[in-house]
């Protein structure tokens, strides 16, 4: 079982400045899943408890000279502490940046460019008789190589890798209707207020492009509505006679027509999913899976300087529902 690669400058920026801080907010521990073509950061795919979060990168988005081999069809996965990973990466970047800047101005210095290597190793920790697996970063320092070791779990067995892949395949299924929410900061402000009212959030999504959020207690009901948003997938036209109805009435009628779905989710889960904004997506889409099995949030990234989707990067969350709702 072997893995070795060099982080590209783009990969360093994506992980250190954007994705790792967002993924840390989803949960301290995740599975890093490496295949021949992709690297995945996966939260809660095996235990199914809490928010499932799937960050996927084509290997070219993060790495150069990417080499992987294993008896599991060249697939390797292990659990890793994201805070330790981020701290180690940030530390090695500091050395890498300082040395690269200093070395560039030295006449007759080493012309080979400085790089950050990442690889899987087994080492004997202090006061231990048993070698342990680590994900290791290495770069050049002024006098010697600088190494940062991140402890990881024992790599998953073949059966566990197959289970993880099956869960990943299932988690990649998207809802038939997705609506784009452009005002993410406004949405985050609303949900921040809702957290102080109750624990259960009603989320309704219609094929007309309407998103309705509501939290209720015996004393107060607080709601927010976003209307006529961009729809991807199955869509429908709302009727003129519905326009003057209340948001609750429109939603109820749309559900009866089969043009909307509603689910209940934990307010804290919904708010936590919004923390993926730290990864700096360009927009976000919301949808409800078939039979109301989960609420899905898809974050979209553009190729810099364009409005074209960057297919090398993807990030989405699946929020467990408290109630199957109606469809």
């Amino acid at each position: 079982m072997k893995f070795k690669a060099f982080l590209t400058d783009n990969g360093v920026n994506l992980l250190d400045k954007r994705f790792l801080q967002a993924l840390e907010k989803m949960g301290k521990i995740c599975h890093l899943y490496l295949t021949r073509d992709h690297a995945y950061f996966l939260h809660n795919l095996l235990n199914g408890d809490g928010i499932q979060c799937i960050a996927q990168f084509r290997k070219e988005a993060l790495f150069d000279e990417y080499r992987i081999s294993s008896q599991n069809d060249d697939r390797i996965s292990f659990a890793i502490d994201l805070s330790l990973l981020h701290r180690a990466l940030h530390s090695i970047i500091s050395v890498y940046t300082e040395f690269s800047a200093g070395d560039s101005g030295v006449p007759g210095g080493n012309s080979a460019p400085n790089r950050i290597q990442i690889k899987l190793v087994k080492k004997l920790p202090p006061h231990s008789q048993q070698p342990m697996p680590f994900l290791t970063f290495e770069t050049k320092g002024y006098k010697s190589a600088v190494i940062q070791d991140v402890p990881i779990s024992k790599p998953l067995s073949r059966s566990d890798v197959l289970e993880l892949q099956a869960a990943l395949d299932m988690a990649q299924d998207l809802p038939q209707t997705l609506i784009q929410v452009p005002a993410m900061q406004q949405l985050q402000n609303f949900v921040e207020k809702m957290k102080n009212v109750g624990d259960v959030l009603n989320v309704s999504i219609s094929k007309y492009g309407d998103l309705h959020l509501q939290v209720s207690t015996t004393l107060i009901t607080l709601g927010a509505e976003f209307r006529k948003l961009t729809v991807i997938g199955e869509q429908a036209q709302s009727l003129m006679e519905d326009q003057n109805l209340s948001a609750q009435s429109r939603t109820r009628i749309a559900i009866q027509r089969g043009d909307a779905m509603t689910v209940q989710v934990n307010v804290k889960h919904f708010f936590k999913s919004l923390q993926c904004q730290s990864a700096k997506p360009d927009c976000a889409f919301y949808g409800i899976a078939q039979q109301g099995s989960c609420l899905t949030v898809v974050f979209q990234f553009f190729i810099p300087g364009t409005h074209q989707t960057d297919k090398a990067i993807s990030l989405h969350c699946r929020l467990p529902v408290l109630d199957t709702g109606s469809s």
Side-chain angles (χ1 to χ4, degrees):
M1 183 179 294
K2 296 179 180 178
F3 164 69
K4 182 167 68 173
F6 289 96
L7 277 168
T8 64
D9 286 344
N10 184 55
V12 166
N13 180 62
L14 283 172
L15 292 176
D16 184 49
K17 303 296 186 186
R18 297 171 61 180
F19 275 86
L20 287 181
Q21 58 183 316
L23 294 172
E24 279 184 74
K25 294 173 182 176
M26 296 300 103
K28 184 180 179 182
I29 306 295
C30 81
H31 280 99
L32 179 52
Y33 179 34
L34 303 166
T35 71
R36 290 175 189 146
D37 301 310
H38 293 90
Y40 302 86
F41 291 86
L42 306 172
H43 280 92
N44 297 321
L45 258 68
L46 288 181
N47 59 26
D49 183 27
I51 297 177
Q52 291 186 340
C53 183
I54 299 97
Q56 174 181 314
F57 303 88
R58 284 186 187 164
K59 64 182 182 182
E60 298 83 3
L62 300 179
F63 305 111
D64 194 14
E65 297 183 34
Y66 182 94
R67 298 189 180 100
I68 186 170
S69 64
S70 81
Q71 294 181 339
N72 292 337
D73 198 25
D74 295 338
R75 294 181 291 189
I76 301 172
S77 184
F78 46 85
I80 191 165
D81 184 316
L82 287 170
S83 61
L84 294 181
L85 175 64
H86 198 183
R87 192 183 311 156
L89 177 60
H90 198 69
S91 177
I92 208 82
I93 288 169
S94 299
V95 175
Y96 162 77
T97 304
E98 182 181 351
F99 181 80
S100 299
D103 191 51
S104 63
V106 177
N110 188 353
S111 60
N114 195 13
R115 308 168 82 184
I116 297 175
Q117 187 181 64
I118 180 172
K119 59 184 177 181
L120 281 176
V121 300
K122 270 194 170 184
K123 292 186 177 182
L124 196 64
H127 315 297
S128 174
Q129 305 296 318
Q130 187 74 26
M132 301 292 290
F134 292 88
L135 187 66
T136 292
F137 296 100
E138 183 174 335
T139 192
K140 289 188 298 184
Y142 281 106
K143 295 183 178 180
S144 63
V146 177
I147 295 171
Q148 287 283 341
D149 293 326
V150 184
I152 62 173
S153 73
K154 180 181 176 182
L156 268 58
S157 65
R158 176 185 291 271
S159 61
D160 286 339
V161 167
L162 290 174
E163 184 182 350
L164 184 67
Q165 182 63 55
L168 177 60
D169 292 340
M170 186 179 300
Q172 301 283 34
D173 287 340
L174 296 179
Q176 294 175 327
T177 296
L178 288 167
I179 59 172
Q180 181 180 349
V181 181
M184 290 299 290
Q185 188 59 53
Q186 186 182 0
L187 178 60
Q188 189 163 333
N189 292 340
F190 273 123
V191 179
E192 182 76 56
K193 296 175 184 175
M194 290 177 169
K195 277 201 313 179
N196 301 318
V197 175
D199 298 326
V200 178
L201 180 67
N202 289 282
V203 182
S204 302
I205 294 174
S206 77
K207 297 177 183 178
Y208 315 141
D210 297 341
L211 170 66
H212 185 243
L213 308 173
Q214 183 175 297
V215 62
S216 300
T217 67
T218 53
L219 298 176
I220 187 172
T221 295
L222 183 62
E225 186 180 35
F226 300 81
R227 299 196 64 196
K228 298 180 180 178
L229 303 174
T230 299
V231 180
I232 293 179
E234 290 188 7
Q235 47 194 286
Q237 290 292 326
S238 59
L239 301 180
M240 287 298 297
E241 58 261 31
D242 296 346
Q243 300 308 307
N244 295 324
L245 298 175
S246 67
Q248 291 93 331
S249 297
R250 280 198 314 276
T251 299
R252 185 180 66 253
I253 293 170
I255 290 171
Q256 291 170 353
R257 291 180 184 143
D259 288 340
M261 297 177 71
T262 186
V263 291
Q264 292 182 330
V265 298
N266 186 303
V267 174
K268 292 179 181 177
H269 283 171
F270 194 95
F271 185 77
K272 183 183 280 190
S273 72
L274 292 172
Q275 305 309 302
C276 285
Q277 286 294 104
S278 299
K280 301 175 185 174
D282 291 286
C283 56
F285 295 84
Y286 283 77
I288 297 173
Q290 293 187 35
Q291 284 81 51
S293 58
C294 69
L295 176 66
T296 301
V297 192
V298 180
F299 297 92
Q300 187 178 31
F301 300 85
F302 294 150
I303 297 171
T306 75
H307 280 279
Q308 294 180 320
T309 300
D310 188 344
K311 296 182 179 179
I313 308 169
S314 70
L315 175 65
H316 72 278
C317 299
R318 288 159 50 98
L319 281 64
V321 298
L322 305 175
D323 178 41
T324 56
S326 306
S327 59

